[in-house]
Amino acid sequence: MDKVVTCVAPVNIATIKYWGKRDEHLILPLNDSVSLTLDCDQMHAKTSVLAGPFIDEDSVWLNGQLMSIETNERLKKCFDLIRNLIKKREGENSQEAKWNIRVCSENNFPTAAGLASSAAGYACLVYTLANAFGLVDEDLPSIARQGSGSACRSIYGGFVHWKAGIDDLGSDSTAVQIAADTHWPEMRIILLVVNDSQKKTSSTVGMKQSVKTSELLKYRVQKCVPERTEEIIKAITDKNFEKFAEITMRDSNQFHAVCLDTYPPCVYLNQVSHEIISFIHDYNEAVGQIKVSYTFDAGPNAFLFIQQNDLSLFMSELVNVFPSEQPESSYLRGIKSTLPNKIKPY
Ligand code: DP6
């Protein structure tokens, strides 16, 4: 390989949350999850790969910092799985599989702040490696999953379903596209950044603690998620916004209830997050219909879903309730709002 291969992968936002693993090593989830992948123009990871006999060792640079591959089981796993695929294609003694690889990756948004950076990061790493070695037809979501669970969903654009599967080895735990973004072109996502500093408890640690201690998680996994997954896939297929929005809000609320049911509790939402939740419910009640919904990952930042036709009225209300201190900037009171994002495959 004599040229650098560069790819970009966007973040995805779950509307049915993945929270809890049945296998920590293979990253197999306890439940199905459903997400929307954002447009690549906005929040994304950008990764460049160079490989060849002239490179003296494997190295990964993330946002300008050299990472240790040896001590990072997940990075090592992704490299190994890609090399295994090369050997499968070219035989055990493949020279290409022995090449060292240099990776350089950057996020254009804060890392580890509950903004799905690991999802975009690992999806991009795996996709770029696969492109560099001509492996794009392989099951890339299953490899990305072993970097970070939610990364398997960022391999596809549009609306994505990560099936938990039942196999102990994970052969059936992979992501499939429910619909391309073109299926629902009116859909918009607004991100309200309440706080973009690094979170105290990572998703990996938080969900492990929930699996150990939360009774509510068991009920969620067995009873709620299977029904909700079926319902939200139907709502997406039918473009039924009210149904989609209600399930999204209920699932976000239940996920954060599980976090509080964890012992010791994981508290990801703050006062401003709760103000946003109240504001959205008040707004929907005032207009007499569910026009906008929220979801929160493992952090205080809100992702809002709304359709294009309802956007300008809603934005004017939002700016009223959370007035901007610097009108020309995109900072609202304590909140940074990105431009409404149109989902698009990359
Ligand atoms: C709250 O995929 O970051 O964002 O598999 O341990 O890397 P690991 O966890 P990660 O967890 C994401 C959790 C979530 C919900 C979701 O995206 O479904």
Side-chain angles (χ1 to χ4, degrees), residues 42-226:
Q42 296 211 353
M43 291 166 68
H44 63 240
K46 186 177 191 179
T47 302
S48 301
V49 162
L50 181 66
F54 47 87
I55 293 177
D56 47 9
E57 60 176 357
D58 285 342
S59 62
V60 174
W61 295 78
L62 174 62
N63 296 325
Q65 290 210 323
L66 184 61
M67 311 278 292
S68 158
I69 304 176
E70 277 317 302
T71 57
N72 188 325
E73 198 201 329
R74 293 173 172 209
L75 269 180
K76 220 165 150 283
K77 192 81 178 286
C78 290
F79 273 57
D80 289 349
L81 290 168
I82 290 286
R83 287 193 167 112
N84 289 347
L85 288 177
I86 302 172
K87 283 186 200 156
K88 204 173 96 191
R89 184 182 65 194
E90 311 211 339
E92 262 321 292
N93 294 323
S94 155
Q95 284 308 308
E96 257 185 75
K98 290 187 190 132
W99 287 354
N100 286 315
I101 305 172
R102 191 175 298 157
V103 175
C104 216
S105 190
E106 277 177 2
N107 298 328
N108 68 345
F109 61 96
T111 301
L115 296 171
S117 56
S118 63
Y122 275 101
C124 205
L125 172 72
V126 169
Y127 193 76
T128 314
L129 286 171
N131 261 279
F133 290 101
L135 299 164
V136 277
D137 294 333
E138 300 287 345
D139 179 7
L140 302 184
S142 294
I143 301 179
R145 187 198 80 221
Q146 295 182 66
S148 178
S150 53
C152 69
R153 299 185 311 236
S154 269
I155 294 285
Y156 297 115
F159 302 81
V160 182
H161 178 191
W162 174 13
K163 298 179 179 183
I166 49 168
D167 178 21
D168 285 347
L169 294 177
S171 65
D172 52 359
S173 184
T174 193
V176 293
Q177 193 183 52
I178 302 166
D181 74 305
T182 46
H183 164 72
W184 203 337
E186 307 83 6
M187 182 68 90
R188 296 288 180 274
I189 298 172
I190 305 166
L191 164 60
L192 302 179
V193 180
V194 173
N195 183 338
D196 60 10
S197 52
Q198 198 151 337
K199 58 196 174 200
K200 217 171 74 196
T201 311
S202 70
S203 303
T204 307
V205 171
M207 70 173 81
K208 196 169 173 183
Q209 200 61 18
S210 297
V211 173
K212 263 199 221 148
T213 62
S214 170
E215 288 299 314
L216 180 56
L217 179 67
K218 292 180 193 144
Y219 177 72
R220 165 175 168 73
V221 165
Q222 279 161 22
K223 175 85 179 83
C224 306
V225 174

Side-chain angles (χ1 to χ4, degrees), residues 323-342:
S324 171
E325 280 158 13
Q326 299 154 293
E328 65 276 41
S329 84
S330 60
Y331 281 85
L332 306 180
R333 186 174 64 87
I335 295 177
K336 184 179 155 201
S337 135
T338 71
L339 290 171
N341 211 328
K342 182 181 177 317

Side-chain angles (χ1 to χ4, degrees), residues 277-289:
I277 292 174
S278 295
F279 167 67
I280 301 294
H281 285 289
D282 290 349
Y283 180 86
N284 286 334
E285 206 173 305
V287 294
Q289 225 182 325

